[in-house]
Amino acid sequence: MTRTLFASTSVFALLAAPAAADHPLVDIITIHSQTPAHDTTQVLSPETLPPNAGPDPAALIARLPGAAAIGNGALSGQMQYRGLFGSRINIRIDDHAFASGGPNLMDPPLHYAPLPLVERFELDRGLSPVSAGPGLGGGLNAVLKRSQFGDSAGFTPQFDWSFSARSVDESYAAGGLTGIANERWRFHALYSIENGSDVESPRGMLAGTEHNRLVYGLGAGWRSDGHEISLDLRRTETGETGNPPFAMDIRYFDTDMARLAYTIDLGEQQIRLSAGYSDVAHAMSNFRLRPAPPAMRQRETFAYATTKTLSAEYELPAMGGQITFGTDLSRSEHDVTITNPNNAGFYLGSFAGIEVDRTGVFAEWTGTGPLGWSAEIGLRADHHQARGGEAFTGPAVPMGPSMLAVGYNAGELDWDDSTIDVAGRFWREVSDTLTARFALAHKSRVPGYVERFAWLPTPASGGLADGNTYVGDRQLEPETAIIAEAGFDWQGGRAYARPTVYWREIDDYIQGVPFDDTPGVINSPVEMISNMNGDPTPLRFANVEARLYGFDLDFGYRLSERWHVDGVASWVRGERRDIDDNLYRIAPPSLRLGATYESGAWYATLEGLVVAEQDRVSRSNSEQATDGYAIANAYAGWSLGDGMTLALSAENLLDEDYEQHLAGYNRNAASVVGLGERLPGTGRSIGLRLSLQR
Ligand SMILES: [Cu+2]
């Protein structure tokens, strides 16, 4: 099957082919092409995605088998993968892992990957290799645009820009890379600006759904005789952005990131060193983008997080393959202070002076073993430490919370533990058209600082947005998962299919449970304070037993030279093993089918998405069921020559009113949607994107 520039412009075809072309265990979504010579996957297609599904990268990633998007706000979306989300997924930006600033993940890692700056997303199919860092399940690396070295001594300019707009929130996104490089040096600047107003749904305007974000940065690289150094600096300035499923909206994020990397290529051996730094300053409030409560109940919360990372890797040939030894260190600090802007004496240090440290070592071998099976086998050990600082409250804070702070400070504030991860991924080319694969792993995740140190009952829960207030537990054990999965990738002359089945038994899964044995009876200070804040039945993070299993696939069939159909289907079940309940916020079964017509320089796709009802909901999280729905979308793209492409989209063509199971419940009283009702999907929307590259 020959693929010209637009011969595989359907996103589905794109997703199928790169895995075979590159690495069978990585899915790549290419957002914008880079210099074609640089990346072999580029031949497949530069401009393959719907031009504008909004500012949230998770909405694009959700098109992959097993993936779904958690909606917590226009710039707070998270990727769900095979039932896991939040900190259970190992998400990096340019291989850099860092701590989010918001205790509710208003800035999940993908917040720092605005689409005009993204070159591609690399999804680890199934589970992440241990070399990518700790994490319970899969992982994703967002690769930002960067300048590429040239092939002569003369400097040549480079650029890679995109401009897009869509109707449903009157939004635009513009930006990209401008650079200059020769064979030894490269320099670039990044710039991206996004703005959008409230989102229109078939029921009317959804209040508090606007967004705005500015990102800018500089990057440089130098190379000579096997040595390469790169430095990247970026600043993100997010302005007022709504989060209707949360108790507060974003006022700002001011985030600085830096990464320095040094690679030494010694022929058969490689040494890779890197250092990373991130610094997040964040404010959120309950009165700027939603009707203000009375002065006494107005809140503004300030949160800070810094992360420093160091890593070193040494790769060499061994046992017929390549082995990598590595070490990585990470230190994060967190501070969260709740204030009332109308009362200087009212403040609570809900997470004060928290330090989270990790030291990891790993070894990972990749190569081909007996019977033609290729393998990637890794072992990693991490030592974790967490330390809580002294909680504090201001003089205007009532007795109850102040007493809780005193009780918290009197307890043990230090914790440490070690975890061991083992992951093996295996694949074998059975024939020219068929690759079989399976994976086995034991992976772990240690509790986050919110799950461990929350002493004040608040809705901060790492982005669960279930309306409950939570307190932490300093005795939590790490989660451990036993993972097994199997599947195959088949690519025939006219058709392809890549199904996978998987099973995950998770011990000590961290989940909210009733605070005490008498839920609903207010007989403890925590319940009293939670009740004053509107939730008489607070939850406490606890270790429970869980299981996730499911299957997903993508597939396609070429009807003729011009026509092909492609699809993606995902089905996942999440359940408790210790009680009769389901896991919270699990994506309902879905099927996406698209028919594409291609003609030289242009293509058009008509797509249907059918999502089943989800009534397997979590009673523990008071989760509401949702009905199924179907929507239709249409896309088209043109290659205009000279590195210029234009794409158009019409989403939700029939203006269907539907509820997305993974969107939260509305908490903004100005919305057309009632308080506590699930937020509806966006209405009919027209979008366009123009891309320019050189
Ligand atoms: Cu926040």
Side-chain angles (χ1 to χ4, degrees):
M1 202 162 27
T2 52
R3 294 177 184 277
T4 59
L5 180 65
F6 276 106
S8 65
T9 28
S10 145
V11 62
F12 306 105
L14 167 76
L15 298 185
D22 187 51
H23 189 294
L25 303 179
V26 181
D27 267 335
I28 295 181
I29 299 187
T30 308
I31 299 297
H32 297 102
S33 77
Q34 262 295 351
T35 348
H38 166 65
D39 189 341
T40 51
T41 63
Q42 289 302 318
V43 290
L44 294 165
S45 174
E47 290 290 335
T48 50
L49 286 161
N52 205 331
D56 182 5
L60 290 181
I61 296 160
R63 303 175 68 84
L64 289 168
I70 298 272
N72 279 342
L75 302 181
S76 303
Q78 298 181 23
M79 167 181 107
Q80 178 171 104
Y81 188 57
R82 293 183 175 165
L84 296 175
F85 61 102
S87 58
R88 293 185 175 110
I89 304 270
N90 173 17
I91 297 183
R92 294 94 65 199
I93 309 287
D94 280 342
D95 287 319
H96 181 201
F98 52 88
S100 292
N104 241 335
L105 290 191
M106 279 180 177
D107 63 333
L110 289 176
H111 180 84
Y112 299 105
L115 291 171
L117 300 186
V118 173
E119 183 193 319
R120 64 181 188 272
F121 294 104
E122 298 171 345
L123 177 77
D124 298 321
R125 293 175 71 190
L127 50 101
S128 268
V130 299
S131 55
L136 197 62
L140 178 96
N141 186 28
V143 181
L144 302 185
K145 294 174 181 175
R146 58 168 50 199
S147 44
Q148 304 295 329
F149 289 111
D151 42 24
S152 69
F155 279 93
T156 48
Q158 306 172 0
F159 59 84
D160 187 348
W161 301 325
S162 79
F163 308 89
S164 64
R166 73 167 181 169
S167 62
V168 79
D169 54 359
E170 295 172 349
S171 65
Y172 66 86
L177 167 138
T178 307
I180 186 163
N182 70 2
E183 60 191 0
R184 182 143 299 185
W185 291 94
R186 58 178 183 83
F187 303 94
H188 63 260
L190 295 176
Y191 178 87
S192 137
I193 185 159
E194 298 157 280
N195 265 297
S197 49
D198 283 341
V199 172
E200 186 84 51
S201 83
R203 289 178 229 174
M205 208 64 100
L206 303 174
T209 50
E210 65 258 61
H211 69 273
N212 77 84
R213 174 169 57 191
L214 170 70
V215 179
Y216 50 93
L218 292 171
W222 172 87
R223 71 174 178 186
S224 172
D225 304 330
H227 295 260
E228 182 171 341
I229 299 176
S230 68
L231 175 67
D232 290 283
L233 307 169
R234 277 189 317 284
R235 182 170 175 84
T236 302
E237 294 178 6
T238 304
E240 290 199 10
T241 297
N243 299 86
F246 290 148
M248 294 183 171
D249 299 301
I250 296 169
R251 181 181 161 204
Y252 63 75
F253 278 99
D254 288 332
T255 300
D256 295 309
M257 291 196 184
R259 188 162 187 272
L260 180 65
Y262 179 28
T263 304
I264 307 166
D265 201 333
L266 303 167
E268 293 205 306
Q269 299 165 41
Q270 264 210 350
I271 297 169
R272 295 184 288 269
L273 307 170
S274 77
Y277 174 77
S278 71
D279 177 76
V280 187
H282 168 49
M284 52 184 163
S285 81
N286 68 352
F287 54 86
R288 286 191 166 80
L289 295 183
R290 58 185 76 195
M296 252 184 68
R297 299 194 70 86
Q298 291 182 11
R299 297 286 181 270
E300 184 144 60
T301 294
F302 297 89
Y304 302 90
T306 60
T307 308
K308 294 168 195 153
T309 56
L310 280 177
S311 76
E313 292 180 5
Y314 176 47
E315 184 181 334
L316 66 160
M319 297 174 283
Q322 291 286 117
I323 192 163
T324 303
F325 297 100
T327 179
D328 37 43
L329 288 78
S330 161
R331 160 166 285 203
S332 331
E333 290 168 33
H334 294 271
D335 270 289
V336 179
T337 307
I338 303 169
T339 72
N340 179 336
N342 308 304
N343 184 344
F346 186 98
Y347 52 85
L348 304 106
S350 57
F351 298 97
I354 289 170
E355 292 175 13
V356 181
D357 293 353
R358 182 181 63 76
T359 307
V361 292
F362 70 85
E364 191 170 84
W365 179 83
T366 306
T368 301
L371 302 172
W373 280 92
S374 297
E376 173 199 88
I377 301 168
L379 172 68
R380 106 170 265 127
D382 288 282
H383 184 68
H384 308 264
Q385 281 179 291
R387 196 172 306 109
E390 297 250 312
F392 56 86
T393 57
V397 170
M399 196 65 169
S402 301
M403 294 301 292
L404 282 189
V406 170
Y408 166 87
N409 291 336
E412 180 63 60
L413 292 170
D414 282 314
W415 169 88
D416 73 298
D417 205 345
S418 296
T419 53
I420 302 277
D421 289 358
V422 188
R425 305 199 288 175
F426 307 87
W427 65 99
R428 176 168 183 253
E429 275 188 34
V430 180
S431 71
D432 284 354
T433 56
L434 186 68
T435 300
R437 54 186 160 76
F438 71 96
L440 292 169
H442 173 280
K443 302 204 85 183
S444 59
R445 178 186 76 100
V446 297
Y449 73 100
V450 172
E451 292 160 327
R452 190 176 291 289
F453 290 116
W455 55 271
L456 181 72
T458 73
S461 58
L464 297 179
D466 61 352
N468 288 294
T469 63
Y470 281 87
V471 289
D473 182 349
R474 279 174 272 179
Q475 309 307 323
L476 285 175
E477 297 290 330
E479 298 177 336
T480 56
I482 301 285
I483 301 168
E485 58 176 65
F488 61 82
D489 297 347
W490 171 73
Q491 172 106 42
R494 282 177 164 260
Y496 67 89
R498 305 189 310 156
T500 304
V501 295
Y502 57 92
W503 192 276
R504 291 179 172 153
E505 296 277 318
I506 308 175
D507 289 343
D508 293 319
Y509 186 82
I510 296 169
Q511 152 79 40
V513 301
F515 177 73
D516 60 12
D517 294 337
T518 54
V521 183
I522 296 169
N523 55 0
S524 68
V526 164
E527 287 169 301
M528 248 177 274
I529 293 157
S530 181
N531 188 42
M532 286 192 309
N533 292 324
D535 183 1
T537 54
L539 300 181
R540 168 175 61 84
F541 286 112
N543 291 118
V544 304
E545 309 302 313
R547 168 184 299 143
L548 284 159
Y549 56 97
F551 73 86
D552 44 62
L553 78 160
D554 51 4
F555 56 92
Y557 184 74
R558 183 166 286 275
L559 301 159
S560 68
E561 200 187 323
R562 300 261 149 135
W563 281 98
H564 57 92
V565 292
D566 304 86
V568 175
S570 302
W571 183 91
V572 54
R573 271 286 279 135
E575 57 192 27
R576 292 276 293 273
R577 287 187 283 133
D578 50 344
I579 61 167
D580 181 20
D581 199 4
N582 299 297
L583 296 186
Y584 170 65
R585 234 177 180 185
I586 298 292
S590 67
L591 170 67
R592 196 185 285 272
L593 266 181
T596 300
Y597 180 83
E598 297 160 359
S599 170
W602 66 277
Y603 77 93
T605 300
L606 185 64
E607 173 186 278
L609 172 66
V610 185
V611 179
E613 64 177 3
Q614 181 58 291
D615 54 7
R616 287 164 163 165
V617 291
S618 162
R619 271 184 292 112
S620 306
N621 295 76
S622 334
E623 188 180 18
Q624 297 168 21
T626 46
D627 292 333
Y629 61 89
I631 56 172
N633 306 314
Y635 310 113
W638 290 264
S639 177
L640 305 175
D642 289 336
M644 203 185 315
T645 54
L646 177 68
L648 293 177
S649 71
E651 292 182 293
N652 194 0
L653 279 172
L654 306 175
D655 207 27
E656 175 78 13
D657 184 2
Y658 65 99
E659 293 179 335
Q660 284 172 302
H661 189 74
L662 301 183
Y665 312 103
N666 176 49
R667 301 184 69 162
N668 188 319
S671 196
V672 291
V673 181
L675 291 174
E677 275 181 47
R678 203 177 286 278
L679 286 151
T682 54
R684 182 186 300 126
S685 182
I686 309 294
L688 66 84
R689 182 183 60 213
L690 180 68
S691 305
L692 304 164
Q693 285 135 10
R694 189 163 93 186

